[in-house]
């Protein structure tokens, strides 16, 4: 039986592969892992996922003289660093080593493909949520007229969370709010799962919150792509309390914003939502108080007028007022008013009252 040694086999494979790929080729894959060594070389593992699992893997290398310019170019175009979990299109030379097997020597990268892949996933998420009737589900909830207990989902040391708390709790009106932080990872591959877990903890908490707030300050397009994740948006849409978002920059608009009860662009703007809500309710209550006070004053004024009229009537009916006009009042000896002369007999005693006094007379 003919046989060849392993080295000979490896050299034959190397020759065959180099003959098959004499030129560099564009390869589309996902970065499964990435390590930047102290010597400046960057080692990657590329993979392809069919949707039901990984179907291909390959080692790749970016030599140190290429890594810095390539990584800077990618960051300038996408706003994000090269990292595991993103799809890339790279120009690579296929290399075969007798000791290490096949590897791809990366010499260039096309950032547009990475951004395009993220945008395609975003559109697919939107279409799926719309087909399931979930885009408007949060909008059917009602916010409390006086939202007081607020659950914030954010990283504890995030600048946006600090800005939100200061603006909310140091408001010019002196309104009080109860703010509780539910920590979560706010970027990267693990962010959707972490935020979903935090949102579930909010809803399962013993105290009932008036709203859940998802805060994330500015970042690159790829840093914020986690907020287009279907599972995260599904959880937001199905939450049993209003979910409000403040994610990224003014120009950013994510599927999470679309699925939420409401969204604004900055943490301080989100704080204003609740300050304005309480201020509006306070103004409404003050308006009711003013209307009640005016109505009560009007009622008191009407009652006072009625009392004045009654008082005048009583005064006008006072016999002493009649005597002042020149009339006199006659009573018999028992004090009974005599309005007629009929029945009065000689010898009866009468009392005659004038405005300035009274006299007693005897009838002749």
């Amino acid at each position: 039986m003919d046989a060849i040694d392993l080295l000979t086999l490896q050299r034959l494979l190397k020759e065959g592969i180099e003959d098959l790929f004499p030129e560099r080729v564009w390869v589309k894959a996902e970065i499964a892992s990435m390590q930047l060594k102290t010597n400046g070389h960057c080692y990657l593992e590329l993979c392809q996922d069919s949707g039901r699992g990984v179907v291909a893997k390959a080692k790749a290398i970016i030599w140190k003289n290429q890594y810095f310019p390539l990584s800077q170019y990618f960051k300038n175009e996408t706003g994000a660093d090269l990292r595991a979990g993103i799809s890339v299109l790279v120009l690579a030379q296929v290399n075969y080593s007798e000791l290490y097997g096949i590897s791809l020597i990366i010499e260039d990268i096309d950032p547009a493909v990475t951004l395009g892949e993220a945008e395609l996933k975003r559109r697919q998420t939107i279409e799926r949520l719309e087909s399931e009737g979930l885009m408007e589900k949060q909008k059917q909830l009602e916010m409390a007229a006086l939202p007081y207990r607020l659950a914030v989902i954010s990283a504890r040391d995030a600048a946006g969370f600090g800005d939100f708390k200061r603006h909310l709790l140091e408001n010019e009106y002196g309104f009080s709010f109860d703010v509780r932080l539910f920590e979560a990872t706010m970027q990267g591959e693990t962010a959707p799962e972490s935020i979903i877990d935090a949102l579930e903890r909010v809803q399962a908490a013993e105290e009932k919150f008036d709203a859940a707030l998802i805060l994330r300050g500015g970042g690159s397009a790829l840093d914020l792509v986690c907020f287009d994740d279907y599972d995260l948006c599904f959880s937001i849409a199905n939450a049993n309390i209003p979910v409000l978002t403040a994610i990224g920059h003014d120009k950013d608009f994510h599927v999470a914003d679309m699925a939420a009860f409401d969204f604004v662009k900055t943490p301080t703007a989100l704080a204003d939502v609740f300050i304005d809500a309480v201020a509006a309710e306070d103004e409404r209550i003050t308006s009711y108080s003013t209307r009640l006070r005016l109505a009560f004053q009007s009622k008191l004024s009407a009652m006072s007028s009625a009392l004045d009229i009654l008082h005048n009537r009583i005064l006008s009916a006072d016999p002493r007022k009649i005597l002042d006009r020149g009339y006199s009042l006659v009573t018999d000896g028992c004090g009974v008013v005599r309005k007629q002369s009929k029945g009065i007999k000689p010898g009866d005693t009468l009392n005659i009252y004038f405005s300035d006094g009274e006299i007693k007379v005897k009838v002749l």
Side-chain angles (χ1 to χ4, degrees):
M1 178 173 57
D2 294 332
I4 58 174
D5 59 67
L6 179 59
L7 179 59
T8 301
L9 175 62
Q10 295 283 54
R11 286 175 175 171
L12 289 173
L13 289 172
K14 178 179 174 67
E15 291 174 4
I17 289 172
E18 291 177 351
D19 289 341
L20 186 61
F21 298 102
E23 304 291 336
R24 297 172 300 171
V25 293
W26 285 99
V27 180
K28 184 178 179 182
E30 181 178 322
I31 300 177
S33 64
M34 178 174 167
Q35 287 185 319
L36 182 61
K37 298 294 187 179
T38 55
N39 59 13
H41 301 317
C42 182
Y43 293 86
L44 309 93
E45 183 178 68
L46 304 180
C47 69
Q48 180 175 338
D49 194 323
S50 66
R52 291 178 293 180
V54 175
V55 294
K57 286 184 177 181
K59 291 178 291 184
I61 304 170
I62 307 177
W63 299 125
K64 65 178 180 180
N65 63 326
Q66 289 282 357
Y67 175 73
F68 180 75
L70 276 185
S71 61
Q72 283 299 113
Y73 169 61
F74 184 83
K75 185 169 185 176
N76 291 339
E77 293 297 313
T78 66
D81 294 319
L82 277 172
R83 57 175 172 78
I86 61 173
S87 296
V88 291
L89 181 63
V90 295
L91 181 63
Q93 178 67 56
V94 180
N95 183 69
Y96 190 89
S97 166
E98 291 87 345
L99 288 176
Y100 304 109
I102 290 179
S103 60
L104 303 177
I105 310 301
I106 296 175
E107 298 180 8
D108 201 357
I109 189 167
D110 185 354
V113 170
T114 304
L115 293 174
E117 188 80 14
E119 178 59 25
L120 177 61
K121 289 182 179 179
R122 179 179 184 274
R123 292 179 183 177
Q124 291 172 340
T125 297
I126 293 172
E127 291 174 2
R128 185 174 176 185
L129 291 169
E130 287 178 340
S131 68
E132 294 170 345
L134 295 177
M135 280 300 198
E136 299 300 320
K137 192 168 182 180
Q138 270 279 307
K139 279 74 172 177
Q140 297 170 8
L141 300 177
E142 288 188 13
M143 178 75 75
L146 289 171
Y148 170 70
R149 289 189 175 87
L150 306 177
V152 177
I153 298 174
S154 173
R156 180 175 294 277
D157 58 353
F161 176 54
D163 293 341
F164 170 81
K165 281 190 69 177
R166 280 191 299 273
H167 195 74
L168 182 73
L169 301 181
E170 297 174 9
N171 65 84
E172 60 180 313
Y173 305 101
F175 297 148
S176 177
F177 295 91
D178 180 12
V179 178
R180 179 176 167 188
L181 175 65
F182 289 78
E183 288 190 72
T185 302
M186 302 306 289
Q187 71 178 53
E189 288 182 273
T190 61
E193 183 180 353
S194 181
I195 298 170
I196 290 170
D197 175 69
L199 187 54
E200 289 176 349
R201 285 186 281 122
V202 170
Q203 296 174 86
E206 184 176 346
E207 63 270 43
K208 298 304 177 185
F209 292 95
D210 296 314
L213 320 180
I214 299 177
L215 300 182
R216 170 64 165 88
S220 70
L222 293 183
D223 285 339
L224 302 177
V225 74
C226 57
F227 294 100
D228 294 326
D229 179 80
Y230 170 79
D231 291 334
L232 172 58
C233 297
F234 179 89
S235 295
I236 291 173
N238 285 290
N240 58 19
I241 61 173
V243 178
L244 292 87
T245 60
I247 302 167
H249 305 283
D250 289 341
K251 62 183 177 62
D252 297 320
F253 185 51
H254 301 278
V255 184
D257 296 328
M258 301 169 67
F261 176 84
D262 197 6
F263 75 96
V264 293
K265 296 322 303 174
T266 65
T268 52
L270 188 53
D272 282 332
V273 168
F274 297 97
I275 295 171
D276 292 346
V278 176
E281 186 65 12
D282 182 66
E283 184 178 349
R284 188 173 70 88
I285 293 171
T286 302
S287 173
Y288 284 153
S289 174
T290 301
R291 289 164 62 184
L292 284 171
R293 179 172 53 80
L294 292 175
F296 185 64
Q297 289 176 344
S298 177
K299 187 68 174 177
L300 284 178
S301 179
M303 293 174 66
S304 178
S305 297
L307 285 173
D308 288 341
I309 292 172
L310 180 60
H311 180 256
N312 290 333
R313 286 180 178 177
I314 292 172
L315 289 178
S316 64
D318 187 341
R320 288 170 295 183
K321 293 292 184 181
I322 299 174
L323 297 179
D324 287 340
R325 296 203 300 268
Y327 296 93
S328 59
L329 179 67
V330 179
T331 65
D332 60 19
C334 296
V336 177
V337 175
R338 304 306 301 255
K339 297 180 179 180
Q340 299 176 350
S341 61
K342 182 181 179 180
I344 298 176
K345 302 183 296 295
D348 288 346
T349 299
L350 299 176
N351 293 317
I352 302 176
Y353 295 89
F354 300 94
S355 62
D356 60 346
E358 63 180 276
I359 59 174
K360 185 177 287 186
V361 301
K362 184 179 288 276
V363 177
L364 300 177

